[in-house]
Amino acid sequence: MSERPDPLVILQEIRPVADHRRLEYGEVPHAEALLAHIVERDAARPSHVLGRPRRPLAVAAGVVAASLVVTSAAAALWWQSRSTDHRVLACYAGASTDADRYELQIDAGDDPVAACAVLWTDGTIATAGQPSSQVCSTSTGTTAVVPGDDPSACALAGLELFDAADGDGATLDDQRTVDRLSTRLVESFVDVCLDEQASRAAAESVLDDEGLDDWNVVVAVPFSAQRRCGAADVDAAERTIMIAAIPPAPTGGG
Amino acid sequence: MVPDASKRLVTSNRDESAFEELFRSHYRAVNSYVTGHYTGLDVDDVVASTFQVAWQRFDEIDADSARAWLIGVARNLIRNAARSHRRRARFLDALVAARPTVSVELAGRRVSPEDLDVLQTAFGRLRPAEQEILLLAAWENLDRAALGVVLGVPANAATVRLFRARQRLRRFIAEEAGE
């Protein structure tokens, strides 16, 4: 095996040809048409004569709406800062990439659809009640609720269908557990450099707090003089918190 | 939960010039990601949808991780579209196509067709998520922070996942090679 090249290096060697060159004006006509379509302007107008950026009316209206909730949002954030078991939920007003998006802070165990329903009755989005909705995920893992009768609503909003059974076959409850664990681990390991003993203790403390007696803590990457800080991740399938030793951050954390 | 008080409308003060710069800087990179990692897709459609999402969420994009952010959006669009009819990542096909009949030099070493067969079989034993993170690291040259952006997880978690995937691939290669 010692003669065998690093498989990651072989993977790099056989990678497809990647073209990361900047797209210059007029090089790819259909790309220019796409750009024009997206920003709703004349495709023939070169970039260097672009005028002052236009702000769509819908966006301007949104800025006004946002300013109305700033004061109450600040109070809410203070209130919520007392709880560590919460997460962000995005509620969409429509199944479209153009739809307005509202963010709520919810507790980990809350039903996302029920949480967004408030906005459909209090006049924020509507007053007649919430239509049939789908639960989706954003690219950063935030849970989102989009109105629509079938799962294609997620795609229409540019989102991924929230699939609790995706990946390792976890149930919705498992997914929520993983969400909570991940949040707690980030809080425990971010901006500090925990040695092996402290890393294990931090992970076990999180498991204790969650009442997860059947989970394990495993050191996946050994600690060394160079790799002396712990990082953690959740492996739901193995019911394990994996700890990897990493070098200290260049600034702080050491 | 206090939804009444905490709701806020997320809006964008979208700047067409800045968006155009983003588009021109990363259009080909997103194209390359889609064509490189997947088969049987309408590449133009995925790229168009990706940049439409980018335009809508322009304020959320950090210039330093824009490519990773865009790849993450494209990835989600593909995964969403492919969920009911999951497409296979291109890697295994590429390996078959690339399989030479005689030993070739890769990474400065002689690699035989048998070695590539072993790699293909071992790679096929990995979980899809493990295959994906290895290819993102190897083909897109993403560092751990960027991998985190693409996958929607903290950088440290991406580091652990990559390490573990690499470790399992090595183990499977050894097993397949009878070592």
Side-chain angles (χ1 to χ4, degrees):
Chain A
M1 189 63 192
S2 59
E3 294 295 318
R4 200 177 295 282
D6 183 338
L8 197 61
V9 175
I10 295 183
L11 294 181
Q12 288 169 339
E13 291 278 327
I14 61 171
R15 86 177 106 193
V17 175
D19 184 357
H20 290 184
R21 287 175 301 134
R22 188 178 189 281
L23 179 72
E24 299 301 334
Y25 180 76
E27 275 188 298
V28 181
H30 73 262
E32 300 300 334
L34 169 63
L35 177 60
H37 173 74
I38 291 175
V39 300
E40 296 173 340
R41 64 178 170 78
D42 184 358
R45 189 169 53 162
S47 60
H48 63 271
V49 295
L50 276 175
R52 181 189 177 93
R54 288 175 290 148
R55 177 181 296 174
L57 283 178
V59 174
V63 170
V64 173
S67 66
L68 296 177
V69 299
V70 165
T71 305
S72 55
L77 286 173
W78 171 81
W79 185 86
Q80 287 153 7
S81 68
R82 298 181 300 171
S83 167
T84 58
D85 195 15
H86 56 245
R87 59 183 178 176
V88 172
L89 169 69
C91 305
Y92 281 72
S96 160
T97 54
D98 294 328
D100 284 338
R101 186 166 68 108
Y102 299 81
E103 288 186 356
L104 305 179
Q105 198 94 20
I106 63 171
D107 293 334
D110 287 339
D111 178 358
V113 175
C116 288
V118 175
L119 306 182
W120 291 88
T121 56
D122 71 357
T124 303
I125 299 175
T127 56
Q130 188 178 32
S132 175
S133 296
Q134 303 296 319
V135 182
C136 320
S137 295
T138 71
S139 62
T140 56
T142 299
T143 304
V145 173
V146 174
D149 291 326
D150 63 70
S152 65
C154 294
L156 290 173
L159 302 172
E160 180 179 350
L161 180 65
F162 183 84
D163 186 353
D166 192 23
D168 298 325
T171 65
L172 184 58
D173 284 344
D174 286 342
Q175 184 61 46
R176 286 172 174 162
T177 300
V178 170
D179 286 350
R180 284 200 306 273
L181 284 179
S182 298
T183 302
R184 293 288 310 279
L185 289 172
V186 168
E187 291 168 354
S188 299
F189 284 81
V190 73
D191 291 337
V192 293
C193 178
L194 303 179
D195 62 18
E196 180 169 358
Q197 188 176 359
S199 295
R200 278 185 177 277
E204 285 164 358
S205 171
V206 169
L207 291 177
D208 286 344
D209 289 348
E210 293 291 332
L212 298 172
D213 299 333
D214 58 339
W215 281 58
N216 300 308
V217 176
V218 169
V219 176
V221 183
F223 285 74
S224 66
Q226 288 73 37
R227 295 174 170 270
R228 53 192 173 86
C229 303
D233 189 27
V234 178
D235 184 339
E238 302 289 336
R239 302 183 85 75
T240 298
I241 292 179
M242 295 180 300
I243 294 173
I246 60 173
T251 55
Chain B
M1 185 183 75
V2 283
D4 287 328
S6 65
K7 67 195 176 193
R8 66 187 174 91
L9 177 59
V10 179
T11 60
S12 304
N13 183 8
R14 286 169 288 190
D15 179 327
E16 290 181 11
S17 299
F19 178 76
E20 179 170 354
E21 182 56 33
L22 174 87
F23 181 90
R24 295 193 182 284
S25 296
H26 300 293
Y27 176 84
R28 284 195 168 101
V30 176
N31 249 291
S32 290
Y33 165 73
V34 178
T35 55
H37 289 253
Y38 298 92
T39 55
L41 291 175
D42 183 337
V43 177
D44 288 342
D45 188 47
V46 174
V47 173
S49 297
T50 299
F51 280 102
Q52 280 169 351
V53 171
W55 171 243
Q56 294 300 324
R57 303 187 188 163
F58 192 38
D59 284 356
E60 299 174 25
I61 304 174
D62 180 346
D64 291 337
S65 58
R67 184 169 71 95
W69 191 93
L70 291 164
I71 288 174
V73 170
R75 169 182 177 267
N76 280 342
L77 289 166
I78 293 166
R79 281 160 57 93
N80 197 19
R83 193 170 298 277
S84 59
H85 180 64
R86 197 176 285 279
R87 291 182 175 85
R88 188 168 60 160
R90 184 178 169 180
F91 171 72
L92 294 178
D93 292 334
L95 250 188
V96 171
R99 185 184 185 280
T101 54
V102 296
S103 293
V104 294
E105 182 159 320
L106 290 178
R109 291 175 183 267
R110 302 299 296 178
V111 178
S112 69
E114 292 72 26
D115 285 339
L116 287 177
D117 283 344
V118 165
L119 174 61
Q120 181 185 356
T121 307
F123 191 85
R125 289 175 60 187
L126 295 172
R127 298 171 186 160
E130 293 170 333
Q131 295 179 351
E132 181 180 38
I133 196 168
L134 284 170
L135 294 191
L136 284 169
W139 287 4
E140 300 303 322
N141 197 27
L142 296 171
D143 63 21
R144 64 194 189 100
L147 285 172
V149 171
V150 172
L151 300 174
V153 300
N156 284 349
T159 303
V160 176
R161 289 181 192 185
L162 177 61
F163 177 87
R164 195 157 182 266
R166 201 168 172 174
Q167 202 174 37
R168 278 165 56 85
L169 179 57
R170 281 180 181 279
R171 190 170 84 226
F172 290 156
I173 286 175
E175 288 175 6
E176 294 297 332
E179 293 170 359

